[in-house]
Amino acid sequence: GGCASLADIRAWNRQNLLQLSTGASKVDVLRIMGTDTISAEGSVITNPYRSELYRSEARTFELMLYYTDIKKADGAITDDELTPIVLIDGRVDGWGWSYWDDLCCQ
């Protein structure tokens, strides 16, 4: 944990995204992005903020979502304020909503 503002958390996560590379393991992502739970401005932010798992017949897809943006200062953290890191079979394949949309909705 730590003492930070929501802006600090967003900036930290955006900066750490720059250190990711495709092929990295989930352990690498957690090391780079951090696993802290931070109280800031009345909110509790965890890294990752949320994870989702999807399975197809051939592969496992995991989205690790990190708080990176603010669209509306309303106290709610919505999906468009998160950046997904997409892991396929435990390895980073890419990140960002446009990447996920292209991958899942082909």
Side-chain angles (χ1 to χ4, degrees), residues 21-66:
S21 58
T22 56
S25 70
K26 182 176 179 176
V27 171
D28 292 334
V29 172
L30 294 171
R31 181 181 47 78
I32 291 167
M33 296 300 295
T35 57
D36 292 339
T37 298
I38 303 160
S39 295
E41 302 171 29
S43 296
V44 175
I45 307 296
T46 57
N47 264 356
Y49 186 75
R50 188 173 82 230
S51 293
E52 299 176 3
L53 202 58
Y54 302 92
R55 287 194 169 95
S56 71
E57 289 184 21
R59 300 177 127 177
T60 300
F61 300 86
E62 183 173 5
L63 270 60
M64 298 172 68
L65 298 121
Y66 288 86

Side-chain angles (χ1 to χ4, degrees), residues 68-72 77-83 97:
T68 55
D69 297 292
I70 186 165
K71 303 294 183 188
K72 189 175 181 186
I77 297 174
T78 55
D79 282 354
D80 61 350
E81 296 173 332
L82 304 173
T83 298
W97 285 115

